Amino acid sequence: MKRIVAGILAHVDAGKTTLSEALLYATGQVRKLGRVDHGDAFLDTDAMERQRGITIFTEPAIITTPDLTLTLLDTPGHVDFSAEMERTLAVLDYAILVISGADGIQGHTETLWRLLKRYNVPTFIFINKMDAPAADKTKLLQQLKKRFSDGCVDFTGSHNGTEALADVMEDIAMQNETAMDAYLDTETVPDETIRAMIARRELFPCYFGSALKMDGIEQFVAGFERFAQEPQYNGEFGARIYKVSHDAQGNRLTWLKVTGGELKAKMMLSGTAHAGDADVVAEDGQWHEKADQVRVYSGAKSTTVDTVPAGTICAVTGLTQTFPGEGLGMERDAGSPVLQPVLTYTLEPGECDIHKCLVALRELEDEDPLLHVVWQSRLEEVHLQLMGAVQLEVIQQMMHDRFGLDVSFGPGGILYKETIAHPIEGVGHFEPLRHYAETHVLLEPLPAGSGMAYASVCSEDVLDRNWQRLILQHCQEREHVGVLTGSPITDMKITLLVGRAHLKHTEGGDFRQATYRAIRQGLMEAKERGDCRLLEPWYGFRLEVPQDMVGHAMADIQRMSGSFDTPDGDGEYMVLEGEAPVAQMRDYAMDVNAYTHGRGHLSCVFAGYRPCHNVDEVIEQAAYDPESDLENTPDSVFCAHGAGYPVKWYKVPEFMHLDYAWHGEEA
């Protein structure tokens, strides 16, 4: 029996959860067909999901047919929860992309397609709502071929055997030389060749139907069963974590897919430590914890099992250090996600204790790594970085339901970031009485979108390996902020060049202080040289407006410092695609609605960070003084006559004990 993990993805309201319900009903897994609008969908297990009628959390359902055990993951469609969806892609064998027959390919659908391509996930396409008056099968198929791939081929009749594919067999053969050779010889393409083409993303089977009316569902199930192939797994244990949550009893659940060997209850697992919990972190910088329980979920119901084989989705209790995207065993950690939060909000605790609120938000942050919770000690405020207003409303509701905290949030702002233009060496020294540490780090700019990277070129003859590892941990353990506006730094590599410890007086915390100060001192030096850069988030947009209003739209985008490609249209509507700063475009959807009288449509996706278009204005509004930020001081502490004394950042080179280690060459 084949064991396959598939995820259902779609633009919001394309009918993704309805398709999941239809698949469960058609295969006999549920006796009653649930509906999102009735609040009884099998996979919308959370009260908020039922109330709002949208999927917020990725939930599994297990479907069994005579030849297949399919674990189906229903992912969120709303762009505010797309980070949850993106993390799920790393554990999928196949994706089922749902497109609304009434609306066609929408902005977020294109983002999903790009992500599926990036993660190399073989994809089946289900075009839903074909019972809608506006749905035109021929037009939709042309749109799929034009905007996605020529490999999008109508497979709707494939359950009736090879003859049913006879009409499209030539289209299938055109996607691959081997398939074409087979077609020229026999006028057909063997199933195993078709399966291989789908697995290599050369072919994308398309099925048309209506999930709500159960139309086309049996054809889709039969086609998926016939053309999906089980991945090959080896005997060495491996697993990929895609989600962290908490059950009703407060137990922390680590959701993962076993990608090799098998996972047993009470098995010892290990991974790279990111938080310094001394109870679980060994000297090798790894955490080691026992998997207490292994649970297999289908909807809200779970079964506790002793062992699960490769290809299984399960939840594990007992692990406190795991994070989404982490690899266990032979699996490596995933890279940083494409989708990133671009807005920041301030918590307004009202009557609630702000520290209780912070503890609750930290638990939610543990579950969603793209929710960044920052405690601003200077302002005594909690700031949240997240994807958008809907996610904020959900967090507000969760604070009330799970923790009994009624809080509100201040108006949102833009999440700026900072980087540097040229390499610089930063020095941090921490030497109050009976303490000692000095750290030299090289800060280097990286290409846009690279995030942060860390390395060491320090010899172990100069500084012991355990101190070096500790310094690199201190580089990574917090979000360091820039010196222009106090925004997080990004697109930068931090390399440990050299350091010094004292045999008797150095403690771990001394290197934390020296490392933090070295990074800040380097940033201040860069600012002095004019090398600091402020970055702002940009949206990639797709704007569809009636033809007579395209001039209005083009003028708006130019006013917003945006750019766009040559407009494309069908005579009635014109489409503008381009990029613009989030700060200018975040409320533009309401303007579009107003001037087009509801006939225009704007969709935006995060398109990375670029140099800020109004730097001076943003810096002036932030009014940030890096030297007054005591939490992130660039100054150092030296010792003389038995007492420590502070030294300003620009004088540190005169007092430092080690010479500069970088002289202009690449580290």
Side-chain angles (χ1 to χ4, degrees), residues 172-395:
I172 293 171
M174 295 279 284
Q175 309 308 319
N176 176 283
E177 270 188 46
T178 309
M180 181 54 83
D181 291 343
Y183 177 71
L184 292 173
D185 288 344
T186 63
E187 293 193 2
T188 188
V189 180
D191 278 9
E192 55 268 27
T193 305
I194 294 176
R195 286 189 203 108
M197 289 167 71
I198 295 168
R200 290 195 300 267
R201 285 182 55 84
E202 294 170 348
L203 186 62
F204 304 95
C206 299
Y207 294 83
F208 293 80
S210 168
L212 195 59
K213 296 189 174 175
M214 296 298 294
D215 181 27
I217 300 301
E218 284 186 23
Q219 292 94 317
F220 179 78
V221 171
F224 190 89
E225 195 173 14
R226 177 179 169 188
F227 293 116
Q229 62 184 21
E230 184 177 24
Q232 298 298 308
Y233 300 108
N234 64 29
E236 185 184 352
F237 173 72
R240 176 155 308 287
I241 296 165
Y242 70 94
K243 181 173 115 167
V244 170
S245 70
H246 292 77
D247 66 11
Q249 288 72 45
N251 297 312
R252 187 178 189 271
L253 298 177
T254 298
W255 296 77
L256 52 82
K257 178 190 178 188
V258 183
T259 56
E262 59 180 8
L263 174 65
K264 298 176 181 174
K266 310 300 179 191
M267 186 170 165
M268 284 300 290
L269 299 172
S270 62
T272 306
H274 283 256
D277 188 336
D279 294 336
V280 296
V281 179
E283 278 193 16
D284 60 1
Q286 299 264 312
W287 58 260
H288 300 273
E289 293 182 311
K290 190 186 289 180
D292 287 342
Q293 276 187 349
V294 178
R295 302 179 189 173
V296 176
Y297 277 81
S298 188
K301 295 177 182 171
S302 70
T303 310
T304 304
V305 295
D306 292 330
T307 180
V308 288
T312 307
I313 294 284
C314 62
V316 177
T317 65
L319 306 180
T320 63
Q321 299 289 300
T322 49
F323 62 92
E326 185 171 14
L328 303 178
M330 64 172 181
E331 285 285 347
R332 299 182 63 177
D333 293 355
S336 58
V338 173
L339 303 165
Q340 296 283 348
V342 294
L343 302 175
T344 178
Y345 294 83
T346 305
L347 173 78
E348 294 177 350
E351 300 292 310
C352 305
D353 182 325
I354 194 165
H355 295 290
K356 278 187 183 170
C357 294
L358 186 59
V359 169
L361 286 167
R362 290 276 185 230
E363 184 170 312
L364 297 180
E365 181 184 37
D366 181 34
E367 296 177 5
D368 183 357
L370 283 197
L371 164 65
H372 292 308
V373 180
V374 181
W375 168 249
Q376 295 278 14
S377 56
R378 186 167 48 96
L379 305 170
E380 296 214 331
E381 289 178 348
V382 177
H383 290 191
L384 271 71
Q385 299 164 13
L386 38 74
M387 298 291 284
V390 177
Q391 187 187 8
L392 191 71
E393 289 170 23
V394 167
I395 287 166

Side-chain angles (χ1 to χ4, degrees), residues 61-103:
I62 296 172
I63 291 175
T64 50
T65 70
D67 298 324
L68 177 68
T69 298
L70 174 65
T71 303
L72 197 64
L73 298 177
D74 185 15
T75 65
H78 197 286
V79 70
D80 280 15
F81 307 104
S82 46
E84 170 111 10
M85 174 278 306
E86 187 184 343
R87 291 194 299 273
T88 308
L89 295 184
V91 299
L92 298 184
D93 302 324
Y94 287 87
I96 300 165
L97 181 63
V98 186
I99 293 170
S100 165
D103 302 313

Side-chain angles (χ1 to χ4, degrees), residues 34 37 40 63 73-75 137 154 193 241 257 312 325 350 397 419 429 502 505 532 565 585:
D37 51 348
D40 59 358
I63 291 175
L73 298 177
D74 185 15
T75 65
K137 184 173 179 178
D154 181 8
T193 305
I241 296 165
K257 178 190 178 188
T312 307
Q397 184 79 42
T419 190
H429 189 97
H502 189 282
H505 296 314
C532 287
D565 299 330
M585 197 163 236

